[in-house]
Structures are given as structure tokens and as C-alpha cells.
Amino acid sequence: MATYYQEASHTFSEYLLVPGLTEEQNIPQNVSLKTPLVKFRKGEEPSISLNIPMVSAVMQSVSGDRLAIALAKEGGISFIFGSQPIADQAAMVARVKNYKAGYVPSDSNVTPDTTIAEMLELLDKTGHSTMAVTEDGTANGKLLGMITSRDYRIGHVSLDAKVKEFMTPREKLIVGRSTDNLSTCNDLIWEHKLNTLPLVDENDHLAYLVFRKDYESHKAHPNELLDHEKRFMVGAGINTRDYEERVPALLNAGVDILVIDSSDGYTCWQAKTIHWIREHYGDSVKIGAGNVVDPDGFNYLADAGADFIKIGIGGGSICITRETKGIGRGQATAVQEVAKARDAYFEKTGTYIPICSDGGIVYDYHIILALAMGADFVMLGRYFSRFEEAPGEKLMINGSYVKEYWGEGSNRARNWGRYDLGQGRKLSFEEGVDSYVPYAGFLHDNVLMTTSKIKSTMCNCGALDIPELQRKARLTLVSATSIVEGGAHDVMVKHKDTSFNK
């Protein structure tokens, strides 16, 4: 006989937080949003933590390299979409890892005899106008000079002219040593008003470049999520079909963490994928799994070795899995139930496995409800798809700017790999739609507003970090009438901003 869950499953919109005691120390400046991304043993620290509890969804219209860079600056992480050729996905990961590294290997190098035309071809290829002039034109050749866009004017120089006619020669350059730390390098940059500082070894061979913009960027983004080499951290999505080829390529590109991208993670195929990774790489490769909606699914993936587990089926704004297949669960109930399983697993094994609420976030306050209910972080698709940095095209429709946003289960995405049924059998119908979302500007401004709201609400609950919020939170179900009462009512609203934060 079928199993019946007698209690209705609920969504985030059916809950509110009841305020707790706000004390003197409960001010937003004192709130920490740091949260674990991967599992850890009791008494130990996780090997990877987020500085804000927000990650971007594994979607073509959301997680490209440009958004990954912008989100890492704020302290979150993106999972580059896997529904593309392996080489293309690896290239996206590499672009994120190479964007800012403190010590940057030069990828734009010329010789003194390189022509301006050849140099401009290299500029088109790399996008980097600052180029090292080395004896052999390699990244580690003997440094003979530097050339930047300030040294020549397009249209006023012959394309056949040589770089040596315009470069700043080595004897006029301020350089550092390859053994200098970043503090010393930044002192030289500021003392001599440099934009770029070449670092050379004892034989005057180029080792790295250090850029002023990286220093200034770090000061403007104190929550940057960086690896041990001061590079931005980035994740990537994989499927349960071509992982034997995709995983090595992503690791070679420098990916920090993987996640299996699937609408339903309670499958033997996910366990097999995790087991293969553990067999070949041990615990050094971090991998998330999902999605699940109940303790059974959580425990299955926890026992399989997942480093974090995603929760949610059918709650995304462009997801139609529930109406197409009749499976899923209200997101709030799913998070609550899986959080209980996570805590029980921790009590039993001493291993804490972070859980991620994926889907069902409509408004900013839903994020803090998910955290209060037990989620360690949330995965967002529509939220990030609205921003300038998202891959979707920006269009003008009916006088307003919008961004394209489509589901991975849509015919447009053709990401049938995430719905693989094993042995080459694939679904032949859609589980997602193609849509537009209101354009909302740049990621930084929106994330700053969202995290400010989260911190403010945590203060109302008397909490200074996410674990304290989860211990102290008091939640109440609300009636349909109460939901209406919670918004503007019985007034004539003067102006409605269609770019509001959701």
C-alpha cells in the first residue's frame, strides 16, 4: 500500500519569523553570514566555506564565467553549467580561475620584433592590453620591456611597425622580485603609481604580473571567496553520463567543487558517480549531490559520500516538473524535514553535511526563512538571471528591459543529460519553460541589498550568525488573509518599481 504524508507540505510564503529579543550587540555590522559549503567532522573546520549563503544555479541562463566572477567577489560561488561541450565548460572555469590571482602569469606576451598588427591580433584573442615583451615571446622569457594601450594610438601608427619602437624598455621599468610577497608588491605599486608590476627571477626572467586593479578590487570586495592562491573560487555542474571525461577536464581547469545536476538525486546513478570520483580522487575532490526532498533521499546521498546535498523538486519559477510528472514537495517542508535528517546524521556519525535549499525563493525574505529552517545556503536561478552579468540576452519589451531566462529542462536548453534514466534512456518531454525576467542591474548592488535585509532580520531574531539563527528562530504558519495583510493594502500606491529585489 502507498505511503501517505498526512500533513500538507508548505512553501516559504506560508511562514513568518516571530521576533526574538534584540540586544545591544544585535546590529547588522556584527552579523556574520559565513557558512560551510562542504562536509566536515565534529570539532574540525570545513575545507571550503562561503562568506555569504548564496550560490548560483547550474543553468545556461545563469552561471557563466562573468557571473561567477561577480558572485565570487561578493563571497558566494557559481556552478558553471554543464550542458555544453566539456572543453567549453572547462574554458569557462579557467577564465574564472585566471581572472584574479594576486600573482598573475602573463598570457599576453610578444617579442620586440612583433608587429603592431600581430600584437592587435593577440589583444583580440586575450582581451588584455598590457603585454610583456620578452626575448622569446613566452610568459617566462627574459623581460625586455612592457607595452600597453597608452604607448600607441590606433590609426596613428603603421601596422607593420615593431613593438620595440613603442614599448617601455626594461631599464625604465619598476620591477619586483618573484619572491616578494603581495604586501611588498602593493607598496611598490602605490609608491611608484603603477598599474602593473612585473616580477622577475634572479635571471631577469618574467615570473608574474601584479595589478593595481586587483588590490583595489579586494579593498572594494572584502568578502571575496578566494582559494589558497588568492584566485576566485568556482564550481561546476556535472551529469551522471559523461563524468569520466568531464571531471578530469574540470579539475585540470582548476575547478574547486563539483555538483551533480539533476532534478531528482535519489538515484543509483548519482551514487555511482560519487563512488567513481572517490575511487579515482579520494576525498580531495569535493562534490555535491541532489536534489532530494525527504530524509530518505538525504541519507542515501550522505552514505554515498556527498559533500553537500541540494533540496528541492519543482519549486523553481521556470520548473514544471510537478505539473508534468506529479512529483515534488513544498520547499519549506522539504527543507525542514531534510534539516532534521542532517542533524540526526551529524549526531550519529559526527559528520556534518551542509544542505542547500534550491528553488522556491521568490522574495528576499524567503532566503532567511530557508536559513532559519535549517538550510546552510541557498541556490538561486531566477534571482541571478536578472543581473547584467548573467548570460541571458537583455531585451527591451513593452518599454522595459528584461533578461532571457530558461530552464535546464526546457527544449531550448536541451539538457537531457540531467534527466538521464540510465543505459542511454532519456526523457522526451519538457520539465522547464523559456521566459523573461525584469532586468535588475548589476549583481553587486542587488546582493548587497539582499544580504543587508538578511542581516537586519537576523538582528530582529537576536542572532549574529546562521547557526544561532537556526537555534533561536521561531516560525509561524500564516493564513491566506495574513499573507494579504503583509503587503501594501487599502491604499493607492503611488509608484511600483518593477525592478524590485525578489
Side-chain angles (χ1 to χ4, degrees):
M1 179 178 177
T3 299
Y4 289 88
Y5 295 88
Q6 297 302 324
E7 182 182 345
S9 63
H10 299 284
T11 67
F12 293 128
S13 288
E14 297 175 75
Y15 284 90
L16 288 174
L17 282 157
V18 177
L21 174 63
T22 302
E23 301 187 277
E24 289 186 6
Q25 71 271 21
N26 295 125
I27 57 176
Q29 298 94 307
N30 292 339
V31 173
S32 169
L33 296 181
K34 191 170 184 177
T35 191
L37 179 61
V38 297
K39 67 183 178 184
F40 58 94
R41 294 287 298 172
K42 187 175 183 179
E44 299 178 355
E45 291 293 321
S47 59
I48 307 177
S49 292
L50 300 168
N51 292 327
I52 61 170
M54 302 167 69
V55 305
S56 68
V58 193
M59 300 177 70
Q60 295 174 13
S61 56
V62 178
S63 294
D65 52 289
R66 188 180 174 203
L67 188 127
I69 290 167
L71 183 53
K73 287 181 179 180
E74 305 305 321
I77 199 168
S78 291
F79 288 90
I80 302 295
F81 66 92
S83 49
Q84 59 179 317
I86 293 173
D88 292 347
Q89 187 186 24
M92 280 192 174
V93 169
R95 285 196 289 274
V96 178
K97 298 305 293 183
N98 292 330
Y99 180 80
K100 177 184 182 297
Y103 302 100
V104 182
S106 178
D107 68 350
S108 298
N109 308 284
V110 294
T111 70
D113 291 324
T114 299
T115 66
I116 296 297
E118 293 169 332
M119 186 195 68
L120 292 177
E121 288 181 8
L122 181 59
L123 172 60
D124 286 339
K125 180 179 179 181
T126 66
H128 297 158
S129 60
T130 297
M131 300 187 184
V133 185
T134 59
E135 194 171 57
D136 58 2
T138 68
N140 300 116
K142 186 174 182 179
L143 184 64
L144 300 181
M146 297 288 296
I147 185 167
T148 74
S149 57
R150 296 179 303 175
D151 297 320
Y152 57 89
R153 291 178 63 192
I154 300 297
H156 292 76
V157 298
S158 169
L159 295 180
D160 294 325
K162 303 293 179 68
V163 163
K164 60 186 175 184
E165 299 174 36
F166 302 94
M167 72 181 190
T168 301
R170 168 66 180 87
E171 58 268 20
K172 292 185 179 181
L173 291 175
I174 302 297
V175 301
R177 292 294 166 187
S178 57
T179 53
D180 289 344
N181 60 37
L182 283 177
S183 178
T184 299
C185 294
N186 286 321
D187 287 343
L188 286 171
I189 286 173
W190 284 94
E191 178 183 352
H192 297 282
K193 298 181 174 61
L194 306 174
N195 288 321
T196 308
L197 177 71
L199 303 185
V200 297
D201 63 17
E202 64 276 10
N203 297 316
D204 221 31
H205 284 240
L206 180 63
Y208 302 103
L209 302 175
V210 177
F211 294 94
R212 174 193 289 262
K213 65 180 177 63
D214 289 345
Y215 175 83
E216 293 175 338
S217 174
H218 180 66
K219 291 298 182 183
H221 300 91
N223 286 326
E224 285 178 327
L225 193 64
L226 306 175
D227 64 17
H228 65 282
E229 296 181 19
K230 306 295 184 182
R231 301 177 300 174
F232 286 138
M233 300 192 78
V234 62
I238 63 171
N239 59 56
T240 58
R241 300 177 63 206
D242 65 4
Y243 56 86
E244 293 186 17
E245 295 80 33
R246 191 172 292 271
V247 170
L250 293 171
L251 293 175
N252 287 336
V255 75
D256 297 286
I257 185 167
L258 304 168
V259 65
I260 304 173
D261 178 34
S262 175
S263 63
D264 176 16
Y266 191 9
T267 73
C268 63
W269 311 113
Q270 291 218 1
K272 288 182 178 181
T273 302
I274 297 170
H275 292 159
W276 182 88
I277 288 174
R278 295 290 175 248
E279 178 183 351
H280 289 80
Y281 300 101
D283 293 329
S284 63
V285 172
K286 305 304 179 184
I287 180 167
N291 288 16
V292 301
V293 293
D294 66 359
D296 291 342
F298 171 87
N299 288 320
Y300 181 79
L301 294 177
D303 290 340
D307 286 294
F308 72 85
I309 295 172
K310 293 200 293 146
I311 306 163
I313 295 177
S317 61
I318 41 69
C319 183
I320 56 172
T321 295
R322 294 180 190 175
E323 65 181 77
T324 301
K325 297 173 65 177
I327 63 169
R329 200 176 196 187
Q331 189 68 4
T333 298
V335 170
Q336 293 171 47
E337 292 296 313
V338 175
K340 291 176 184 176
R342 185 265 323 276
D343 293 343
Y345 191 90
F346 181 47
E347 184 70 24
K348 176 183 176 181
T349 67
T351 297
Y352 186 93
I353 302 177
I355 56 175
C356 167
S357 178
D358 175 19
I361 302 292
V362 180
Y363 302 102
D364 283 351
Y365 82 91
H366 288 171
I367 297 176
I368 194 166
L369 287 175
L371 298 174
M373 291 174 184
D376 295 282
F377 54 97
V378 297
M379 177 171 278
L380 303 163
R382 184 191 56 82
Y383 175 91
F384 287 115
S385 71
R386 303 171 302 138
F387 302 152
E388 178 70 29
E389 297 89 348
E393 187 175 355
K394 184 169 77 171
L395 305 168
M396 175 72 78
I397 295 182
N398 296 328
S400 297
Y401 281 113
V402 297
K403 292 275 284 190
E404 293 183 306
Y405 178 46
W406 60 96
E408 288 301 289
S410 67
N411 189 55
R412 175 173 179 173
R414 296 187 177 275
N415 185 12
W416 308 125
R418 77 191 305 262
Y419 304 97
D420 186 58
L421 301 176
Q423 299 178 347
R425 295 182 293 121
K426 293 175 284 187
L427 295 180
S428 56
F429 51 84
E430 291 184 287
E431 291 189 37
V433 300
D434 194 349
S435 67
Y436 301 114
V437 289
Y439 173 70
F442 289 89
L443 181 145
H444 169 74
D445 299 324
N446 286 274
V447 169
L448 181 62
M449 177 65 73
T450 297
T451 52
S452 295
K453 292 177 183 177
I454 294 171
K455 290 180 178 181
S456 180
T457 304
M458 288 175 65
C459 290
N460 295 141
C461 296
L464 292 177
D465 57 35
I466 293 171
E468 186 178 18
L469 171 68
Q470 293 169 348
R471 292 193 303 271
K472 291 184 173 181
R474 300 185 297 166
L475 294 124
T476 179
L477 277 167
V478 294
S479 67
T481 303
S482 179
I483 293 172
V484 173
E485 181 185 64
H489 59 91
D490 301 313
V491 295
M492 294 177 64
V493 179
K494 292 182 179 180
H495 172 71
K496 185 174 180 62
D497 183 357
T498 58
S499 65
F500 60 87
N501 253 0
K502 283 189 176 183

